[in-house]
Amino acid sequence: QAQLVESGGGLVQAGGSLRLSCAASGLTFSNRDMGWFRQSPGKEREFVARLLWRDGTTYYGNSAKGRFTISRDNAKNTVYLQMNNLKAEDTAVYYCKAWGSRGLGVPDYWGQGTQVTVSS
């Protein structure tokens, strides 16, 4: 059973930092793109970051550029999101995603989410 488990969320003051972790199990990790999304109450889920397995290319949503960094440790089957200079508008539930392959019939997987609250 594939599973993604996020951790590292919490309450932090504006300007502070947090590092989120997402541990994967039950799936082939090293050849999957991994990433992060977030969702605030009343808003749609928003893309935050993606890290390509093939060459390490990273993509960031506009809100994350310059402040967040995505990385991975294939030996630990874990992807990270380092978040610096946090703002109140970063408050959200952060979800980890493992991309599959539609053409190969490999599904995407999502974690259960971890709450990040930034106080102003």
Side-chain angles (χ1 to χ4, degrees):
Q1 180 91 16
Q3 191 174 17
L4 301 176
V5 179
E6 300 98 334
S7 61
L11 175 64
V12 64
Q13 289 188 334
S17 298
L18 281 175
R19 189 177 81 152
L20 306 183
S21 300
C22 170
S25 60
L27 55 84
T28 304
F29 179 83
S30 61
N31 64 352
R32 284 181 183 262
D33 293 354
M34 298 295 298
W36 294 89
F37 288 73
R38 70 186 187 185
Q39 189 166 21
S40 303
K43 295 186 178 181
E44 293 187 354
R45 191 167 292 192
E46 175 189 11
F47 169 73
V48 176
R50 180 172 181 168
L51 175 54
L52 304 189
W53 70 271
R54 188 177 298 277
D55 60 7
T57 299
T58 56
Y59 297 96
Y60 295 95
N62 287 335
S63 61
K65 289 178 182 176
R67 300 187 298 126
F68 295 0
T69 303
I70 187 172
S71 61
R72 67 193 295 163
D73 184 337
N74 287 340
K76 296 182 178 180
N77 283 2
T78 299
V79 63
Y80 304 98
L81 185 69
Q82 177 68 42
M83 305 187 294
N84 298 328
N85 190 23
L86 284 161
K87 305 175 182 180
E89 51 264 41
D90 294 319
T91 295
V93 177
Y94 284 71
Y95 297 92
C96 175
K97 178 179 179 179
W99 272 266
S101 171
R102 194 173 294 179
L104 297 177
V106 178
D108 298 341
Y109 293 102
W110 291 87
Q112 82 290 347
T114 186
Q115 176 71 46
V116 171
T117 303
V118 184
S119 63
S120 56

